[in-house]
Amino acid sequence: MHIEILGTESLGVRGLCCLVITKERRILIDPGVALGYLRHGQLPHPFQVAVGAMIRERIIAALADATDVVISHFHGDHVPLVDANPYQLPMSSVVEGLKGPRFWAAGSEGLSRAMRQRREAIGRACGTSLPVAEGKSEGPFCFSTAMPHGEEGNTLGTVMMTRIEEDGFVFVHASDIQLLERRSIAQILEWKPDIVIASGPPLYLYRLSRSAQQRAWENGRQLAKEVPTLILDHHLLRSQGGIRWLDRLNGSTKNHVICTADYMGEKRRFLEAWRRKLYRELPVPAGWHKDYAHGRADTTGYQRWRGWDLSKMKASLL
């Protein structure tokens, strides 16, 4: 099994998109990407916009020869969108790629109207209604029942976790559980994974209570103790505090607690957490974002920052 993680916060974007390659399948999980539309009153910096465009191309390339597509939930950083903003993955760019793979999707129960519409739009694009995979097992796959997106009972809905096994090796994609509820942690441990990728807690949100933060830490400690390689990313790494939290958790165990960039052997790109720094060091002229949205500006001139040279980075899959 080969695991290629395509787009997460430690790679410079929002998302949790993975490509899992087995002997017989190419499984794309959560084919979406986004950039935080406003952080500290600032739109995405053009350097991050350039990174996002590169990752969009990677996702489109992966979708072109995927045998299976898994959708954990229907938030805009996890799926292609009919009404995508300039920093998300537009449905129009992946319509052909959606027609070939077999889909495994979270159900529609409890979805908001907007999420139901997104689910239906993907079904129309692939020429069929999306099947509900929650609670099912088939071949290398095992899917969880609906789990809370963060804390139980919030307005963010639910997510579906995915277990993939080949030759006794188990990978779990735990999506946006944020380590905040015990039952999702119990399910992961019951699956006995070798590698887990999951969203850590959203420490950048002031509304996250101290008790929730403590619960996430305790759940993270348990996973770190029992899972050989634990990849925590996504919501956790949108702030400097989340970066410190990750490294502190890694120091508490003999196992590996890392972010996606560490796992992929790349330099960490916490561009969501570094937006203010980007604007200070690479100034952006007024009106750039409006011009970019209308095709009158591009990211030329914003390809290099702090040792990164995007023009030299591969935009294709390894």
Side-chain angles (χ1 to χ4, degrees):
M1 184 187 298
H2 174 71
I3 302 163
E4 181 88 10
I5 307 173
L6 303 183
T8 65
E9 272 73 351
S10 69
L11 296 178
V13 299
R14 290 189 175 194
L16 209 62
C17 182
C18 300
L19 176 66
V20 181
I21 302 172
T22 68
K23 294 171 185 174
E24 298 181 352
R25 299 174 187 255
R26 295 177 66 89
I27 305 157
L28 188 61
I29 305 176
D30 283 1
V33 65
L35 307 179
Y37 197 78
L38 277 178
R39 293 294 308 275
H40 317 298
Q42 296 169 317
L43 289 163
H45 188 277
F47 180 81
Q48 189 185 21
V49 174
V51 171
M54 181 179 69
I55 288 174
R56 277 201 305 274
E57 292 306 311
R58 288 180 173 177
I59 294 171
I60 292 168
L63 189 57
D65 57 3
T67 60
D68 301 84
V69 172
V70 177
I71 299 176
S72 70
H73 64 299
F74 295 90
H75 288 182
D77 49 350
H78 292 260
V79 293
L81 299 167
V82 171
D83 57 348
N85 68 39
Y87 319 116
Q88 295 172 315
L89 181 63
M91 186 76 73
S92 59
S93 67
V94 297
V95 167
E96 291 305 313
L98 293 174
K99 293 178 180 177
R102 181 174 179 182
F103 276 78
W104 311 82
S108 57
E109 185 175 347
L111 291 184
S112 68
R113 180 181 177 185
M115 298 304 107
R116 285 198 306 273
Q117 289 174 341
R118 288 177 183 176
R119 194 179 195 282
E120 291 164 1
I122 295 170
R124 286 194 298 271
C126 64
T128 183
S129 59
L130 293 183
V132 178
E134 290 169 350
K136 295 183 178 179
S137 297
E138 183 177 324
F141 295 109
C142 185
F143 300 101
S144 74
T145 56
M147 295 288 170
H149 183 296
E151 293 187 271
E152 193 89 55
N154 66 31
T155 60
L156 296 173
T158 60
V159 301
M160 179 182 74
M161 303 190 299
T162 300
R163 180 187 192 270
I164 301 171
E165 180 175 2
E166 182 180 52
D167 298 332
F169 185 89
V170 175
F171 168 69
V172 169
H173 182 280
S175 193
D176 291 16
I177 61 168
Q178 300 179 0
L179 308 184
L180 290 173
E181 292 297 339
R182 178 63 199 160
R183 66 187 179 101
S184 55
I185 304 302
Q187 177 64 84
I188 292 169
L189 294 176
E190 183 180 319
W191 278 342
K192 301 187 183 306
D194 297 282
I195 297 181
V196 171
I197 184 168
S199 168
L203 301 180
Y204 73 104
L205 295 177
Y206 294 115
R207 67 174 180 266
L208 189 68
S209 68
R210 288 191 176 275
S211 62
Q213 292 181 39
Q214 182 60 32
R215 190 163 65 249
W217 176 257
E218 292 168 358
N219 287 334
R221 282 287 303 272
Q222 183 166 14
L223 284 179
K225 180 180 178 181
E226 301 193 36
V227 177
T229 300
L230 176 61
I231 304 168
L232 295 178
D233 213 298
H234 205 23
H235 303 88
L236 176 64
L237 300 181
R238 294 176 185 174
S239 68
Q240 297 284 356
I243 299 166
R244 292 190 293 270
W245 194 97
L246 174 74
D247 291 337
R248 184 160 62 98
L249 185 61
N250 183 49
S252 73
T253 177
K254 67 182 189 310
N255 290 327
H256 301 290
V257 181
I258 54 179
C259 66
T260 293
D262 300 335
Y263 179 78
M264 296 298 297
E266 297 190 23
K267 186 178 177 182
R268 292 173 165 188
R269 298 194 297 267
F270 299 123
L271 303 185
E272 287 285 311
W274 295 342
R275 187 168 294 185
R276 284 173 168 166
K277 190 180 299 184
L278 272 163
Y279 271 90
R280 284 197 304 268
E281 298 181 12
L282 280 179
V284 181
W288 183 91
H289 294 86
K290 183 176 181 179
D291 288 343
Y292 178 80
H294 289 91
R296 298 191 297 264
D298 59 26
T299 57
T300 301
Y302 296 99
Q303 298 288 308
R304 295 180 178 86
W305 184 62
R306 291 201 167 197
W308 282 291
D309 185 344
L310 301 184
S311 66
K312 295 181 180 179
M313 293 175 65
K314 284 187 176 181
S316 60
L317 291 171
L318 297 177

